[in-house]
């Protein structure tokens, strides 16, 4: 497995250790999960947040004969802050990465699919909705795989505020709220997100920008941080529609097959919400297939391969 980096586009390409087939290797675009907001956390700098899991996963795709493209999201290793969970931005980043690789390397095909986990699962859904439009005739988009897709975060975030019961939210989700607030401020600087934070909240809000996900999680857990103590005002007081416009996943307009995989013991992503989202897509006639696994958040990535490998092969065929 060898990574080739294109610094200007902040992307990396890993190709199978085989001779390219006629027309080049089809591309798997990897939309990674949450790794942090700081530049030193960027995938092109620090690599996977869960190395053993992710190398096993990405190695499987390469053994199937696909080239893997991993793109940094905007604000990771580049100027500015990351607009965390801004799906339209993530989709543009993924498509730009695929475009750059196809222009720089003759050994790859213009046929491609996106796969992603957690934050990357959300990015995969937005990419699936926008890929044909963003890639134009230059790229041949075939479909998407999203695992641990975070759905209806806009409803969950709106419930958080001062005095929020401390036993009702995990450290992982406290971290996610702080990341989302950072993303909102980056995408909508006019919102004055800082005014929604207590002094303690501002400390952890800034700390979220300075550390990588694993360290930040450990710091929050060690300090026994309670999300209700971080907020001066309930987040439902944000301007009407802002959370939905920022966080809501697309529910229509998918033009290629979409695979959603969800672990039934996932306590990071709200499993009933992901299943609800899957049902909404199915009811709307979208080309979605849904698979569940007796796994937690992280283990779903590789558990899903038994179904996603044939799904991807069929989409490329």
């Amino acid at each position: 497995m060898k990574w080739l980096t294109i610094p200007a586009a902040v992307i990396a390409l890993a190709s199978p250790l085989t001779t390219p087939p006629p027309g080049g290797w089809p591309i798997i675009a990897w939309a990674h999960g949450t790794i942090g907001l700081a530049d030193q956390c960027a995938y092109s700098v620090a690599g996977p947040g869960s190395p053993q899991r992710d190398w096993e996963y990405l190695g499987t795709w390469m053994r199937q004969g696909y080239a893997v493209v991993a793109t940094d999201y905007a604000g990771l290793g580049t100027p500015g802050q990351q607009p965390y969970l801004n799906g339209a931005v993530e989709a543009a980043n993924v498509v730009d990465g695929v475009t750059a690789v196809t222009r720089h390397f003759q050994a790859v095909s213009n046929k491609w699919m996106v796969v992603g986990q957690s934050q990357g699962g959300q990015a995969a859904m937005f990419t699936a909705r926008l890929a044909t439009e963003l890639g134009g005739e230059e790229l041949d988009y075939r479909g998407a795989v999203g695992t641990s897709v975070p759905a209806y975060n806009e409803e969950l975030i709106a419930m958080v505020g001062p005095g929020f019961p401390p036993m009702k939210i995990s450290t992982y989700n406290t971290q996610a709220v702080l990341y989302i607030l950072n993303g909102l401020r980056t995408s909508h600087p006019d919102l004055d997100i800082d005014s929604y934070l207590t002094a303690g909240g501002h400390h952890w809000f800034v700390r979220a920008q300075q550390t990588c996900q694993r360290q930040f999680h450990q710091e929050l857990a060690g300090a026994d941080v309670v999300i209700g103590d971080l907020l001066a005002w309930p987040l439902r007081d944000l301007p009407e529609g802002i959370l939905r416009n920022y966080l809501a996943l697309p529910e229509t307009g998918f033009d290629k097959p979409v695979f959603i995989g969800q672990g039934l013991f996932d306590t990071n992503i709200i499993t009933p919400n992901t299943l609800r989202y899957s049902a909404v897509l199915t009811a709307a006639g979208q080309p979605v297939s849904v698979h569940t696994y007796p796994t937690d958040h992280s283990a779903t990535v590789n558990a899903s391969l038994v179904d996603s490998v044939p799904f991807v092969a069929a989409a490329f065929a």
Side-chain angles (χ1 to χ4, degrees), residues 1 14-18 54-68 302 305 309:
M1 179 186 309
S15 60
L17 298 177
T18 61
D54 289 359
W55 289 132
E56 179 183 350
Y57 184 70
L58 300 178
T60 297
W61 293 117
M62 281 183 277
R63 287 190 293 274
Q64 298 298 314
Y66 308 123
V68 174
N302 286 301
L305 286 167
V309 166

Side-chain angles (χ1 to χ4, degrees), residues 206-252:
V206 172
R207 193 65 186 141
Q209 303 165 18
Q210 300 170 336
T211 61
C212 295
Q213 185 270 335
R214 192 177 301 275
Q215 179 183 345
F216 188 48
H217 185 275
Q218 292 172 346
E219 291 182 8
L220 287 170
D224 197 22
V225 173
V226 174
I227 189 64
D229 294 341
L230 306 185
L231 295 167
W233 301 101
L235 296 183
R236 66 174 179 271
D237 288 353
L238 285 164
E240 184 176 359
I242 194 71
L243 289 174
R244 176 167 179 77
N245 291 340
Y246 187 74
L247 292 169
L249 296 174
E251 295 179 342
T252 58

